[in-house]
Amino acid sequence: MTALISGSMAFDTIMVFRDRFSNHILPEQVQILNVSFMVPELRKEFGGCAGNIAYNLKLLGEIGIPLATVGADFEPYAQWLDRKGIPTDHIKVVDDSYTAQAFITTDEADNQITAFHPGAMSEAHQVRVPTDAGGRVGIVAPNGRDGMVQHAEQFAAAGIPFIFDPGQGLPMFEGEELLRFVEQARWVAVNDYESRLLQDRTGLALEALAERVEALVVTLGGEGSRIHTGGRVLEIPAVKPAALVDPTGCGDAYRAGLLYGLLNGLDWEITGRVASLMGSIKIEQAGTQNHGFTRDGFRMRFQQEFGTEM
């Protein structure tokens, strides 16, 4: 089954700082912040929300079609997607731009500082939501501003239910715009910080926002997640990873789990746990698209972690 994924495609440069940012940033001096972090570890990876979600969904046995714009430097990434069986039909190359680039520094407490160059992502509105690709569900993840707006409108017009996942793109929108996204979406997914910002900008409490969609998902990192649905709040436990290696891309892995549950008609208790396990598996590996598993292996681990079958 197929999901349509509006989101960024990016090259990630990931660096590890073997200390804590808090040990080197003086709160009373942030107005004149001028710091340098020595990062002996550096990797270049394929990333971006659409690419990461599609990769994770493919591991689960479903197809995710990225809806994105990229630069003239995209060819190595395109070859990777082809090898992984991820469609590239709705990825448009903008010849005079770079593919989006993320420069991510992670400290020992898994805090991250990211610099992001949008590049061709800003032209995401050039790609339309296809109505003939078999998409049963969609997601509007961080992408170019106009692309996010237009893809939400196109999903709604086509009657394709979608998740609104504003992520790092949330600060680009004012309250009325965010409420429009919520009204068009069937589901909303945010992390704890984003949920607070969403409430602040819209002027609505989380409970009021949850009443406007079928489910509102709030991820809480190592504390699991909460799913507000049908007037209830489901507490979804976190899965303890075998190793804490790299948190980059965990949110995208979690959202692939949500899409898998929606595509397969699973209830929210199971869907949330699939998403939770996906995030845990991702954090055990460096990079956003380097982890892997067999579907039988995933089902076995799911049963071991939660004491029930998928």
Side-chain angles (χ1 to χ4, degrees):
M1 289 178 280
T2 304
L4 302 175
I5 306 170
S6 167
S8 60
M9 304 291 295
F11 292 110
D12 291 340
T13 299
I14 302 171
M15 296 156 280
V16 179
F17 176 53
R18 289 302 176 193
D19 201 339
R20 293 176 178 246
F21 298 137
S22 58
N23 293 335
H24 299 266
I25 297 176
L26 301 175
E28 68 277 9
Q29 298 295 323
V30 292
Q31 75 276 9
I32 54 169
L33 185 66
N34 186 357
V35 296
S36 176
F37 300 111
M38 181 67 69
V39 288
E41 300 175 40
L42 181 148
R43 304 185 317 278
K44 291 184 178 291
E45 306 279 2
F46 300 127
C49 296
N52 295 341
I53 294 170
Y55 176 85
N56 282 282
L57 199 55
K58 183 69 174 179
L59 291 178
L60 287 166
E62 308 297 349
I63 298 296
I65 299 177
L67 312 178
T69 42
V70 298
D73 56 345
F74 186 68
E75 184 56 27
Y77 201 162
Q79 294 175 4
W80 166 260
L81 295 174
D82 287 341
R83 291 197 298 272
K84 297 301 175 183
I86 297 171
T88 58
D89 311 63
H90 297 279
I91 298 175
K92 177 181 174 60
V93 176
V94 180
D95 289 325
D96 59 351
S97 294
Y98 288 109
T99 300
Q101 314 269 333
F103 301 88
I104 304 164
T105 304
T106 302
D107 75 0
E108 289 184 334
D110 288 335
N111 298 305
Q112 292 185 321
I113 295 175
T114 300
F116 188 76
H117 170 67
M121 188 188 78
S122 299
E123 301 299 317
H125 55 279
Q126 293 189 30
V127 176
R128 292 189 60 84
V129 169
T131 58
D132 58 353
R136 291 186 54 189
V137 298
I139 184 169
V140 174
N143 206 346
R145 188 187 192 283
D146 292 344
M148 293 178 71
V149 170
Q150 293 185 27
H151 290 167
E153 292 174 349
Q154 291 162 14
F155 275 132
I160 300 172
F162 71 94
I163 300 171
F164 176 48
D165 167 30
Q168 306 98 313
L170 197 155
M172 294 190 296
F173 302 102
E174 298 301 326
E176 290 186 5
E177 295 170 313
L178 292 168
L179 282 176
R180 178 61 177 158
F181 279 117
V182 173
E183 290 168 359
Q184 292 172 322
R186 187 169 295 182
W187 313 281
V188 172
V190 288
N191 65 26
D192 189 31
Y193 173 79
E194 292 156 3
S195 77
R196 296 171 190 273
L197 185 56
L198 183 61
Q199 292 174 79
D200 180 68
R201 295 225 166 169
T202 62
L204 292 178
L206 204 60
E207 295 75 15
L209 289 165
E211 290 176 355
R212 300 186 177 215
V213 290
E214 289 189 8
L216 190 156
V217 182
V218 181
T219 59
L220 305 167
E223 298 179 12
S225 53
R226 294 191 182 101
I227 300 178
H228 301 250
T229 181
R232 300 180 299 151
V233 180
L234 307 178
E235 299 284 347
I236 305 299
V239 174
K240 185 176 181 180
L244 293 169
V245 176
D246 181 5
T248 310
C250 288
D252 296 330
Y254 185 101
R255 281 144 182 78
L258 295 181
L259 289 170
Y260 176 84
L262 294 169
L263 286 169
N264 288 278
L266 303 180
D267 65 37
W268 283 107
E269 292 276 10
I270 297 297
T271 296
R273 284 164 170 76
V274 170
S276 180
L277 180 54
M278 287 297 293
S280 179
I281 289 172
K282 198 291 79 224
I283 205 170
E284 295 169 353
Q285 297 291 329
T288 61
Q289 298 179 29
N290 295 326
H291 54 293
F293 52 79
T294 65
R295 288 192 283 282
D296 285 344
F298 186 87
R299 290 179 180 275
M300 183 179 300
R301 184 166 175 186
F302 185 94
Q303 187 166 25
Q304 290 171 345
E305 295 290 349
F306 301 115
T308 186
E309 295 184 354
M310 287 175 55

